[in-house]
Amino acid sequence: MRILYQLLVVLFMMLQGVAGKHFIPRPFNPCAAQNGRCFPGICRRPYYWIGTCANGLSCCRRYVEV
């Protein structure tokens, strides 16, 4: 049964290659998805706090003035 799952993964990767899309699994970083950066401690100017990163650091985003 385990080999069946491995064969399905290989088949999926081959189909992605045939379609012209390269599937490279990467860990999802919600801080980067919000245009933020991870900093140790608190966010200082010109950044403000928008959340917590996976490693416990503060997720900070730069102020944008219009």
Side-chain angles (χ1 to χ4, degrees), residues 5-64:
Y5 290 119
Q6 291 177 347
L7 288 174
L8 286 174
V9 168
V10 169
L11 177 66
F12 176 73
M13 298 289 276
M14 287 174 47
L15 289 175
Q16 289 285 325
V18 169
K21 299 178 183 176
H22 299 289
F23 178 75
I24 301 171
R26 295 183 189 149
F28 178 67
N29 186 352
C31 187
Q34 300 179 52
N35 294 328
R37 294 178 53 192
C38 296
F39 289 105
I42 62 173
C43 301
R44 306 218 183 260
R45 287 188 174 208
Y47 295 94
Y48 64 97
W49 186 82
I50 56 173
T52 307
C53 296
N55 53 5
L57 300 176
S58 295
C59 183
C60 307
R61 186 185 326 172
R62 184 180 277 269
Y63 284 112
V64 178

